[in-house]
Amino acid sequence: MTHRGSRVLHVGSLARVEGEGALHLAVDGGAVTAARLRIYEPPRFFEAFLRGRGHTEPPDITARVCGICPVAYQLSACAAVEDACGVTVDGSLAELRRLLYCGEWIESQTLHVHLLHAPDFLGRAGAVELARTHRAEVERGLRLKQAGNALVEVLGGRAIHPVNVRLGGFHRTPHPRELAPVRERLRRALDDAWGALRWVAGFDFPDAHADEDLLALAEPGRYAIAGGVPTVVPGTGAGGGGAGGGRADVRTFPVREFAAHVAEEQVPYSTALQSRLDGRRHLTGSLARYAVSGALLSPLALEAAREAGLGDPREGAVCRNPFRSILVRSVEVLYAVEEALRIIDAYEPPPRPYVEVPPRAGTGHGATEAPRGLLYHRYTLDADGTVAEASLVPPTAQNQGAIEEHLRRVAQSRLDAAGPEGADDAELTAWCERAVRNHDPCISCSAHFLDLAVDRR
Amino acid sequence: MEGREQEHRPRLAVWKLASCDGCQLTLLDCEDELLALAGRVEIAHFLEASSAPGPGPYDLSLVEGSVTTAEDAERVRHIRAVSRRLVTIGACATAGGIQALRNFADVEEFRAAVYARPEYVATLATSTPVSAHVPVDFELQGCPIDRGQLLEVLTAHLAGRKPGIPAHSVCFECKRRGTTCVTVAHGTPCLGPVTHAGCGALCPAYGRGCYGCFGPSDSPNLRALVPLLRSDGADRRDVVRLLRTFNAAAPAFAEASAEVEASAEAEASAEAGASAGGPAEAGAPAGNGDENGTEGPGEDGPRDGRSTP
C-alpha cells in the first residue's frame, strides 16, 4: 500500500523502551509536518513528596524513579545532599561508588545493546525472537549483563534498588575477599564485552547525523561516571559554532549553575515541556560522553573503539550517528568492565564505611552520568535537614527535543528515499521506532515533569 | 519439537501502570532462566522486551504499577477481562507504591508544585493498588520484587499449584541467615518484625534497619513495634517517615502512621496547655478500640481510588 496524500502515523505503545511512550508522525505530501514523542507515563510527583522528607532519604526514595538506573539516582542524590551539607566523599569510598556505578553501566547498557537495540538491526521483534537465530550472542549478552548485576549485588545487596548506599558512603563496605568471586566473573566478562562489540560492529548502520550540542560531565584524567563538570561540545548545526563538532569551542559550567543553563521550555506544538541547553536542543548520553571524554578511555577501550570503526577520540574523532550509539555503548561496557577490575585490584577497605553528613541549611547540586546521560539533582534543606525543595532533571527529558528532531529526519529521509512510490506505513513506523530507540529513552524517568494532555488521537 | 509445544504453551503477558519498571525488569534479570522460560511459556505481551505484542486472551498476566489515572483504571479492567489469572508484581501494584504519598496530601498542590501547566496533567487524587479495582489472583510484594519469588510464581503457575511464598516477617529470614539483630545489638530502628519476607533480610545483613520495602507481613503488630522504634531513638516524625515510603498506603502501615501523626498532634495541643506526658507512653496511640491495627474501616480512605478529581 502506498500513500501520496496526507496521513498520520501513530504507534500507540512504543516497545523496547523503559516506560510508556507513543509516537505521532504527520505527513503531508512527501513532507513530515509533525514528529512527536508522546509521554503517557503517569506522573508520580517525586519532587512534590520529597519536600518534608529527611535529608538522608532522597537516595532510597529517588531510586524508585527508575528501576533501570537506581544507582544513578542514588548517587546523584548523595552528591547533591552532600554538597548542600558541605561534605566531600573521596578516597576509597569514592572509588567504591565508581565501582558500583560501573556495575550499573555494565548491566544497563548491556540490556539496551542486546535486548532492546540489537533486534532492530537484525529485524527481530525482541531478544527472545533474536535468540532463535542468534542464541550464542544473546546468551553472551545475558552473561555480560549478569556480571554487571553481580557487581551491583555484592556492593549494593541487590541489583534493583540496592540497599547499601547511604549519604557519605555505604552502610557496610566489603572485605576484599567478598569481591573475589565477582572479580573472576568480570575477567570472563572482559572477553564477552570484546565479543559483543565485534558482533555489533558488524551491523549495518544507516546514515544519520546528530547536530545538537553534546552535554556530558568531565573529570580530569579519566572517563567521567560518578561526577564531574558539565561540559558542552558545540553542535554542528546553525549557530553551533563548531564546523565539525570539534573540540575547539568546548565550554564548561559549574554543576551549581546547571539550572541557569538547562531550562525547561514549553514548545508551541505540544504541551510537553522539554529541556534546552542555553536555548538550544542538546543531547546527553553515550554519544555526548564519548565526545567529551573519549580521549580519556583506557588504551584497551581506545583500541576497541578503533577496531569498531569509531576512530580515535584522541585525534578528535566524535560519533554523531545515533544508529552507531550501540557501538559507543558497547565500548563503554568494555571500559566499565576493565575499570571495575582496576578498582577491585587497587581496593583497600576505607577506615569507616561512611563519613558523617550532618544537616545544615542550604542548597546542594549533584550530577552523575546515568547510563542514558547526565542526571542532575538539586535539594534545598532546612537547618534540621528537612527537604524544602527538590528538583530532578533526568537525561531523557533533556534528550526529548533531539529525539523528536531525529524522528522527523529519519522519517523524512525514508520518504525521500522511497521516491514517488511512497514508503509504506509499516516500514516508516519501524524506522521511527528505531530513531527513538537509538537514544535508549527512559520514559519512567522523564515522566516526572513531562505532561500528559498532548493530542490523544 | 518447537512446533507442537508452541501450540500448548501458556501465554504470558506483562503490563505496566504507574511504576519505575523495576519489577518487570526483574523478569529480564532472570538471565539464567529467561531463554528456558521463553521455551515453556509464550511471552505474548511484554512491551519492554518485544515489539510484537500478541492479542489476548492470556493465561497469566503480571501487572506492575498502581492506578493513578482514569485511563489506567479502565486499562486494568481490560487486563482483567483478557487474563485467566492476574498476578500483581511489586509494591506499586499491591499497595499503591511511593506515588501513594499523594493519598496523604493534596494532589492539586502536588501538581502545581511539579508542573508549570498543572491543568494539563491528568491524574487521580489517589494512587491505588490493582486490587482496589479488579479481583487479583495473587499479590507478589516487594519494592522491587525478588527474582527467586517471581520464578516461584511462574513455576507454580505452570505446575498448576499455589505459589509457595512465605508471608511471615523479615525477622525469620534474619534468623535463618544468622544475622545479628540490629535492634537488639545496636539499637537500630528496624521494620523487620512487621515487614513481609522475601528480600532475604538484606538490610540487616548490610548493617542497616529494614525499611519495609516489602510491605506488611501477614500479621504485623505495629502497636508493639512503634514504641520499640521510639525507644531506639526514632522520634514521631522519623516513625511516620519510616512507615510512609514504598508501601505507605498498605493498610497496616497507613493506619499506624496516621495514629502516630494523630498522637503527635494531640500531644502538641496538650503541651500548649500544660507540660506533661511521659516519653514511654508517647508512641501509644490514644482513643482507638481496635486491637489489631491491621484491619478496620480506616483502610478504606486511602484505598478508594475510584473517585475522579
Side-chain angles (χ1 to χ4, degrees), chain B residues 208-239:
Chain B
R208 75 182 285 194
C210 165
Y211 61 92
C213 66
F214 270 63
S217 63
D218 60 349
S219 54
N221 189 344
L222 271 301
R223 292 270 167 92
L225 182 72
V226 169
L228 193 61
L229 296 172
R230 297 292 312 277
S231 69
D232 284 328
D235 64 19
R236 284 203 185 83
R237 188 177 62 172
D238 296 334
V239 173

Side-chain angles (χ1 to χ4, degrees), chain A residues 13-20 41-49 51-54 57 60-61 64-68 111 115-116 125-129 131-132 135 138-139 142 145-146 149 153-155 157-161 163-164 171-172 266 271 273 384 386 444 447-453 456, chain B residues 2 6 9 16-23 25-26 28-32 34-36 38 43 47-52 68-69 71-72 75 92 98-99 101-102 107 109-111 113-117 120-123 143-144 147 199 202-203 205-208 211 213-214 237 240-242 244-246:
Chain A
S13 307
L14 269 174
R16 282 185 278 125
V17 298
E18 294 93 7
E20 304 203 295
E41 179 88 21
R44 294 168 70 211
F45 301 115
F46 275 85
E47 284 129 321
F49 62 63
R51 296 168 307 166
R53 306 298 305 210
E57 295 191 286
D60 284 324
I61 289 178
R64 270 69 181 185
V65 172
C66 180
I68 320 287
L111 168 78
L115 304 187
L116 311 184
V128 171
E129 294 84 350
R132 292 200 188 111
R135 181 140 190 139
V138 172
E139 283 180 344
L142 288 170
K145 176 168 159 318
Q146 198 172 33
N149 275 342
E153 280 164 18
V154 71
L155 290 175
R158 62 185 173 199
I160 302 170
H161 305 328
V163 303
N164 193 26
H171 289 279
R172 184 171 77 74
Q266 201 138 20
T271 52
L273 298 176
D384 70 349
T386 302
S444 307
H448 82 99
F449 85 104
L450 291 165
D451 76 43
L452 299 175
R456 277 192 174 273
Chain B
E2 198 179 64
Q6 225 161 13
R9 285 185 305 167
K16 178 185 148 56
L17 307 170
S19 64
C20 78
D21 272 48
C23 290
L25 178 65
T26 305
L28 297 180
D29 274 358
C30 299
E31 290 97 354
D32 289 334
L34 187 64
L35 294 180
I43 302 177
L47 277 177
E48 183 168 349
S50 172
S51 53
T68 61
T69 64
E71 284 95 337
D72 276 354
R75 258 177 89 206
C92 298
I98 183 93
Q99 58 273 18
L101 288 174
R102 79 183 68 185
V107 79
E109 194 275 329
F110 270 28
R111 188 152 41 180
V114 177
Y115 295 89
R117 300 291 298 272
Y120 292 134
V121 182
T123 189
C143 182
R147 186 166 51 202
C199 65
L202 279 179
C203 286
Y206 281 83
R208 75 182 285 194
Y211 61 92
C213 66
F214 270 63
R237 188 177 62 172
V240 172
R241 283 173 174 167
L242 200 52
R244 286 191 186 160
T245 59
F246 319 108

Side-chain angles (χ1 to χ4, degrees), chain A residues 34-396:
Chain A
R36 291 175 208 164
L37 171 61
R38 184 168 71 75
I39 308 290
Y40 63 91
E41 179 88 21
R44 294 168 70 211
F45 301 115
F46 275 85
E47 284 129 321
F49 62 63
L50 278 165
R51 296 168 307 166
R53 306 298 305 210
H55 77 304
T56 58
E57 295 191 286
D60 284 324
I61 289 178
T62 61
R64 270 69 181 185
V65 172
C66 180
I68 320 287
C69 57
V71 169
Y73 275 86
Q74 292 185 339
L75 293 183
S76 280
C78 284
V81 175
E82 287 157 8
D83 180 48
C85 299
V87 171
T88 304
V89 175
D90 51 19
S92 56
L93 283 174
E95 286 294 285
L96 271 185
R97 282 181 165 178
R98 185 171 167 93
L99 179 61
L100 176 67
Y101 224 133
C102 284
E104 180 158 290
W105 270 31
I106 296 165
E107 60 95 1
S108 191
Q109 303 270 53
T110 301
L111 168 78
H112 189 260
V113 167
H114 290 81
L115 304 187
L116 311 184
H117 208 186
D120 274 340
F121 292 92
L122 298 162
R124 299 292 186 277
V128 171
E129 294 84 350
L130 185 60
R132 292 200 188 111
T133 50
H134 295 75
R135 181 140 190 139
E137 288 83 355
V138 172
E139 283 180 344
R140 179 178 56 204
L142 288 170
R143 209 159 53 224
L144 192 51
K145 176 168 159 318
Q146 198 172 33
N149 275 342
L151 182 52
V152 178
E153 280 164 18
V154 71
L155 290 175
R158 62 185 173 199
I160 302 170
H161 305 328
V163 303
N164 193 26
V165 170
R166 55 159 290 162
L167 285 187
F170 295 84
H171 289 279
R172 184 171 77 74
T173 46
H175 188 279
R177 81 175 159 263
E178 289 179 82
L179 299 177
V182 78
R183 186 183 184 283
E184 273 317 293
R185 239 185 162 125
L186 289 164
R187 278 166 50 93
R188 291 196 299 273
L190 204 54
D191 291 338
D192 284 339
W194 265 108
L197 176 65
R198 289 186 177 124
W199 179 51
V200 299
F203 291 171
D204 188 19
F205 299 102
D207 284 335
H209 182 79
D211 60 5
E212 286 81 13
D213 290 352
L214 302 173
L215 171 67
L217 298 173
E219 264 189 87
R222 64 182 185 179
Y223 207 77
I225 299 178
V229 179
T231 301
V232 184
V233 173
T236 54
R247 309 187 50 85
D249 302 308
V250 170
R251 67 183 193 277
T252 66
F253 56 85
V255 179
R256 66 174 182 279
E257 289 172 14
F258 189 85
H261 292 274
V262 179
E264 299 165 11
E265 191 174 82
Q266 201 138 20
V267 291
Y269 60 81
S270 125
T271 52
L273 298 176
Q274 300 182 353
S275 294
R276 288 280 190 277
L277 171 63
D278 295 324
R280 294 154 44 80
R281 240 183 14 249
H282 71 287
L283 194 61
T284 178
S286 291
L287 294 184
R289 283 193 293 260
Y290 190 70
V292 168
S293 298
L296 300 173
L297 283 167
S298 63
L300 194 70
L302 284 167
E303 184 191 331
R306 273 197 311 275
E307 190 182 308
L310 288 168
D312 190 338
R314 290 170 303 183
E315 292 163 10
V318 169
C319 175
R320 282 185 173 273
N321 182 346
F323 287 99
R324 295 167 76 90
S325 63
I326 192 170
L327 293 174
V328 181
R329 280 189 199 97
S330 301
V331 169
E332 288 188 332
V333 168
L334 184 110
Y335 174 72
V337 172
E338 198 194 3
E339 184 68 356
L341 283 166
R342 185 193 64 75
I343 295 170
I344 289 173
D345 288 342
Y347 174 62
E348 283 180 27
R352 293 208 54 203
Y354 57 89
V355 294
E356 294 288 349
V357 183
R360 69 177 193 191
T363 295
H365 310 259
T368 64
E369 283 291 341
R372 279 146 208 88
L374 195 155
L375 170 63
Y376 167 80
H377 286 214
R378 180 180 71 242
Y379 301 97
T380 299
L381 307 179
D382 293 340
D384 70 349
T386 302
V387 175
E389 190 254 328
S391 175
L392 319 174
V393 181
T396 295

Side-chain angles (χ1 to χ4, degrees), chain B:
Chain B
M1 153 198 145
E2 198 179 64
R4 202 179 132 242
E5 288 209 340
Q6 225 161 13
E7 295 303 309
H8 298 92
R9 285 185 305 167
R11 308 184 76 233
L12 175 73
V14 184
W15 309 86
K16 178 185 148 56
L17 307 170
S19 64
C20 78
D21 272 48
C23 290
Q24 53 175 324
L25 178 65
T26 305
L27 194 56
L28 297 180
D29 274 358
C30 299
E31 290 97 354
D32 289 334
E33 300 86 4
L34 187 64
L35 294 180
L37 181 72
R40 291 289 308 277
V41 302
E42 179 193 349
I43 302 177
H45 181 103
F46 187 9
L47 277 177
E48 183 168 349
S50 172
S51 53
Y58 309 100
D59 294 292
L60 175 64
S61 274
L62 302 177
V63 182
E64 171 191 287
S66 67
V67 176
T68 61
T69 64
E71 284 95 337
D72 276 354
E74 193 51 50
R75 258 177 89 206
V76 88
R77 282 190 283 274
H78 165 75
I79 293 168
R80 178 70 266 186
V82 297
S83 309
R84 199 160 66 80
R85 292 181 69 79
L86 191 163
V87 172
T88 59
I89 52 170
C92 298
T94 59
I98 183 93
Q99 58 273 18
L101 288 174
R102 79 183 68 185
N103 302 11
F104 303 86
D106 174 8
V107 79
E108 294 308 319
E109 194 275 329
F110 270 28
R111 188 152 41 180
V114 177
Y115 295 89
R117 300 291 298 272
E119 66 274 22
Y120 292 134
V121 182
T123 189
L124 296 174
T126 54
S127 169
T128 45
V130 173
S131 63
H133 302 265
V134 295
V136 170
D137 295 300
F138 189 79
E139 295 185 313
L140 187 59
Q141 295 183 209
C143 182
I145 54 169
D146 175 73
R147 186 166 51 202
Q149 291 199 332
L150 176 63
L151 286 169
E152 165 59 14
V153 166
L154 294 170
T155 307
H157 178 81
L158 288 172
R161 60 170 173 82
K162 272 186 68 173
I165 305 292
H168 55 231
S169 74
V170 169
C171 287
F172 287 75
E173 297 191 307
C174 241
K175 298 296 165 289
R176 196 172 300 137
R177 193 171 175 144
T179 305
T180 304
C181 177
V182 295
T183 298
V184 171
H186 310 294
T188 303
C190 179
L191 290 183
V194 296
T195 298
H196 198 286
C199 65
L202 279 179
C203 286
Y206 281 83
R208 75 182 285 194
C210 165
Y211 61 92
C213 66
F214 270 63
S217 63
D218 60 349
S219 54
N221 189 344
L222 271 301
R223 292 270 167 92
L225 182 72
V226 169
L228 193 61
L229 296 172
R230 297 292 312 277
S231 69
D232 284 328
D235 64 19
R236 284 203 185 83
R237 188 177 62 172
D238 296 334
V239 173
V240 172
R241 283 173 174 167
L242 200 52
L243 292 171
R244 286 191 186 160
T245 59
F246 319 108
N247 293 277
F253 285 5
E255 204 164 291
S257 69
E259 285 178 0
V260 174
E261 207 168 50
S263 70
E265 282 163 16
E267 187 176 88
S269 58
E271 268 176 13
S275 61
E281 284 293 298
N288 189 329
D290 179 15
E291 291 259 310
N292 190 326
T294 59
E295 291 195 288
E299 77 184 74
D300 289 340
R303 285 179 74 104
D304 179 12
R306 291 173 189 271
S307 59
T308 45

